[in-house]
Amino acid sequence: MGVRKARAAETEAALKDAARRLFAERGYLNTKIGDITAAAGRATGSFYDHFAGKEELLQALRADMEAQADIEIATAAHAAATDADHAAAHAADHAADHAVGQAVGRAANHAADHAAGHDLTDPAQLREHLAVAWHVFRDHLPVMVALMQSSMAAPPRSGDLWRRLEDETGILRDHLEDLRERGHPLPGDPRLVAAAMGAMLSTLGYAVLTAGEHRPGFSDEEVVDTLTALLLHGLAGPPPGAAAGA
Amino acid sequence: MGVRKARAAETEAALKDAARRLFAERGYLNTKIGDITAAAGRATGSFYDHFAGKEELLQALRADMEAQADIEIATAAHAAATDADHAAAHAADHAADHAVGQAVGRAANHAADHAAGHDLTDPAQLREHLAVAWHVFRDHLPVMVALMQSSMAAPPRSGDLWRRLEDETGILRDHLEDLRERGHPLPGDPRLVAAAMGAMLSTLGYAVLTAGEHRPGFSDEEVVDTLTALLLHGLAGPPPGAAAGA
DNA sequence: GTCTATAACAGGATAGAC
DNA sequence: GTCTATCCTGTTATAGAC
């Protein structure tokens, strides 16, 4: 790789970094191309040598995020697999795939293999799913914020948000369908239940993790524990003799 | 009221109507002042004789919505109160107040009185709460869409979304706190649980009710039933002998 | 109060030298 | 590839006649 190409890659990285920084601070919609180039220490015109526009930049950031999430997930799953506890390893492994799909909207390739054998009614597995999704959201907050703002800014009737919700919860839906096939009673159509859970997770994540000053003051663990308890047994609480996850 | 004033009121109403129509079609963010005046059959300049800007118009629409919701709620509660079934009437009455607060972000005045005596663990009452919130959302979709787009477009760190979530779920939170004080185990901090439920309801509502062509095909009842079942007993389902709402 | 016309200002995107 | 300079478009908001 020549110096020229290296310099170009450097500029592209600088633009991406600046974009992530600004997306977290001002949001995607309020960040102008000029803001990004200024923050990256480049000229406005240079932007268009790397990206066709703001939307293309966002897609590039999304690709980066998915790639990095894959790595994090894989190592997390591996770490869990070295554990003595089979159930935990199993949960972490599958939770990873699901959660990434859930938070990012991908991983259809692994879905089929891993759908079977899951049990979202197991407190540990459900908690692990939610925890991974929550932390992916937190670790990639700038891009998640940008993606959410972008899909909320689209014309309502385009159905963008519903599509996004379905994409993000593909794996979760598979797990639910699997659960239903094995005879477990579900609250409703797996598509709907999965979308509802995705809606809760993404909007609550956005609200809690971006609040900054006016921070609600909930720790990651408290949020994950609460969502686990709520989604596992609802408001009525666990049946008298059950060993719950809360 | 003179003719001049009446004409002015007419124009203001025309602007509001046009705005609601366009907000539902193109969304709040993509609707320009000029679009509204054109759709209302007025000149662009006339807009500023009635509103200081788009944000002020939105606040006016919000006020209208809240006023109308009050009426709808009151009559609904009254109708329910004439029923022979005490429990149903009770549920509908309080559900109304909550749901409006939930969907609209107000009704703090009634909160204190009505918080006591509720029981969100009762399937009928929970369902009623969710049903009213869902229908308020649907009936005022243009304004709800605009409000959501507006708060999502704000700078993330402003904490706008978290504040909005807390405001919308004030009454729900009160009910949960009441429940907790009466010894019922909750999934977590009432503020957090309420916010999570609000996040689910508003985002799912937006996604499902705006999807248009790419409509998921779920009826209002199916959604309300599903959310009731999910929030009442979670994914694990009702305890063996329970009479659930699903 | 309503209109026409226009000022004022983003913001996106390109041209051409280096 | 990167820069400087500029064009061009859309949108807000106001001025002033009616």
Side-chain angles (χ1 to χ4, degrees), chain B residues 11 46 49-50:
Chain B
T11 294
S46 294
D49 288 322
H50 297 272

Side-chain angles (χ1 to χ4, degrees), chain B residues 2-242:
Chain B
V3 268
R4 295 180 63 93
K5 230 175 174 176
R7 242 194 124 67
E10 209 175 299
T11 294
E12 189 168 313
L15 290 172
K16 284 179 179 175
D17 280 352
R20 275 186 283 258
R21 192 151 16 98
L22 292 174
F23 288 171
E25 283 169 17
R26 320 179 183 179
Y28 172 75
L29 298 172
N30 293 329
T31 298
K32 309 308 173 189
I33 307 277
D35 298 336
I36 298 173
T37 53
R42 312 292 155 128
T44 310
S46 294
F47 180 90
Y48 297 93
D49 288 322
H50 297 272
F51 309 101
K54 206 165 64 164
E55 184 59 34
E56 278 68 24
L57 165 61
L58 178 55
Q59 292 314 316
L61 292 180
R62 191 170 62 83
D64 288 355
M65 173 179 71
E66 291 177 3
Q68 193 184 337
D70 266 345
I71 301 175
E72 293 167 356
I73 294 310
T75 63
H78 179 265
T82 61
D83 263 17
D85 186 343
H86 269 234
H90 182 86
D93 179 31
H94 295 333
D97 282 328
H98 153 55
V100 170
Q102 210 280 343
V104 174
R106 179 187 35 89
N109 43 341
H110 291 194
D113 317 343
H114 293 183
H118 279 264
D119 182 6
L120 257 33
T121 66
D122 173 34
Q125 288 193 37
L126 177 60
R127 208 202 109 100
E128 193 60 29
H129 275 74
L130 295 172
V132 174
W134 186 262
H135 286 106
V136 167
F137 199 109
R138 150 155 276 174
D139 290 346
H140 302 278
L141 194 56
V143 183
M144 295 301 304
V145 163
L147 287 171
M148 286 192 72
Q149 283 199 333
S150 175
S151 61
M152 287 293 300
R157 315 205 51 156
S158 67
D160 256 29
L161 190 58
W162 173 256
R163 188 170 13 257
R164 198 177 130 77
L165 229 42
E166 280 222 301
D167 288 349
E168 285 181 353
T169 56
I171 312 243
L172 175 53
R173 190 180 55 240
D174 290 343
H175 291 181
L176 291 174
E177 280 166 355
D178 195 59
L179 212 52
R180 165 173 274 182
E181 276 165 19
R182 282 198 262 117
H184 187 91
L186 250 48
D189 188 313
R191 284 175 70 208
L192 189 53
V193 176
M197 291 173 65
M200 174 186 280
L201 204 51
S202 56
T203 300
L204 189 71
Y206 189 106
V208 169
L209 295 176
T210 63
E213 328 295 313
H214 324 78
R215 170 169 297 150
F218 297 118
S219 71
D220 289 356
E221 268 121 27
E222 184 169 4
V223 173
V224 172
D225 284 343
T226 298
L227 293 183
T228 302
L230 177 60
L231 292 173
L232 190 67
H233 288 126
L235 297 172

Side-chain angles (χ1 to χ4, degrees), chain A residues 128-180:
Chain A
E128 193 61 27
H129 275 74
L130 295 171
V132 175
W134 186 261
H135 286 106
V136 167
F137 199 109
R138 149 154 277 174
D139 290 346
H140 302 279
L141 195 54
V143 183
M144 295 302 303
V145 164
L147 288 171
M148 287 192 73
Q149 283 199 334
S150 175
S151 59
M152 287 293 299
R157 316 203 50 155
S158 68
D160 256 28
L161 190 57
W162 172 257
R163 188 169 14 256
R164 200 179 129 76
L165 229 40
E166 280 221 301
D167 287 349
E168 286 180 353
T169 56
I171 311 241
L172 175 53
R173 189 179 57 242
D174 289 343
H175 291 179
L176 290 174
E177 280 166 354
D178 195 60
L179 212 51
R180 165 174 275 183

Side-chain angles (χ1 to χ4, degrees), chain A residues 7-46:
Chain A
R7 242 194 124 68
E10 208 175 301
T11 294
E12 189 168 313
L15 289 173
K16 284 179 178 176
D17 280 351
R20 274 185 284 258
R21 192 150 16 97
L22 293 174
F23 288 171
E25 283 170 16
R26 320 180 182 178
Y28 173 75
L29 298 173
N30 294 327
T31 298
K32 311 306 172 189
I33 308 274
D35 299 336
I36 298 173
T37 53
R42 312 294 157 125
T44 309
S46 293

